[in-house]
Structure formats: structure tokens, C-alpha cells
Amino acid sequence: MKVVGRAMSTYGSRMFIIQCDAAQLPGLYSEVMDRRTKPVGKIMDVFGNVKSPYALVLTHGPCGVTAGEKVFARETRATATARSGSIRTTVR
């Protein structure tokens, strides 16, 4: 678990924006947790300047994170899927 950044503002009832540290930038769809390690939501988009990016978090329920609160992330690893079909080469 690593610190992602601080919550900046809420957007609607189920989204909030966090200001991330560029060195600790989480991957898309990473699970976001509050200071009590309670799952809050998932990162849906990363945008902004490369030196100071922002991330949009879609929460599981009503947003309970306040502005200025630190949020943490646990990386989720996407499994690689094999392509269907095979590549055939013909030697003449």
C-alpha cells in the first residue's frame, strides 16, 4: 500500500479528484483506500500535467473522503490474455 496523494474536491456524489505525486503514480483501476485502509473506490482516469497529475476516483458508494485527506492505493495486476487464433506462416 502506498500514498497516492490528497483529495482535492468532490464531483457529484460518487466521484472525487486527488492530486497525485508523480513519483507514486498509481495504475488505472487501482483500489483506493482511506487512512483506515477501508476501500473507497477505483482510479478511473489520470489527467493533467506530467509533473503534478490528478486522478479521478469513482467511489463504491457515497463519497466519504474530505478535502485534504490522504488516500492510499493497492495496485491491482491485470492478467495478460492470449490472443485467440494462431499465426500461421507458410514457407515456400
Side-chain angles (χ1 to χ4, degrees):
M1 193 165 71
K2 61 183 178 178
V3 176
V4 177
R6 291 191 180 272
M8 297 300 291
S9 63
T10 59
Y11 182 73
S13 62
R14 292 195 55 211
M15 288 188 240
F16 67 93
I17 297 173
I18 56 177
Q19 184 176 15
C20 301
D21 180 21
Q24 298 290 326
L25 190 64
L28 285 178
Y29 310 114
S30 296
E31 190 73 29
V32 175
M33 294 168 282
D34 61 2
R35 67 179 182 269
R36 296 175 296 277
T37 66
K38 178 183 171 191
V40 175
K42 289 191 175 189
I43 294 177
M44 300 307 284
D45 193 15
V46 178
F47 57 94
N49 192 342
V50 175
K51 292 183 180 179
S52 59
Y54 294 94
L56 177 71
V57 177
L58 179 64
T59 61
H60 298 304
C63 184
V65 177
T66 59
E69 185 178 340
K70 282 186 181 179
V71 289
F72 304 88
R74 180 178 352 172
E75 291 288 330
T76 56
R77 308 244 178 205
T79 58
T81 58
R83 293 175 61 182
S84 61
S86 62
I87 299 172
R88 296 183 184 189
T89 58
T90 306
V91 178
R92 292 187 188 192

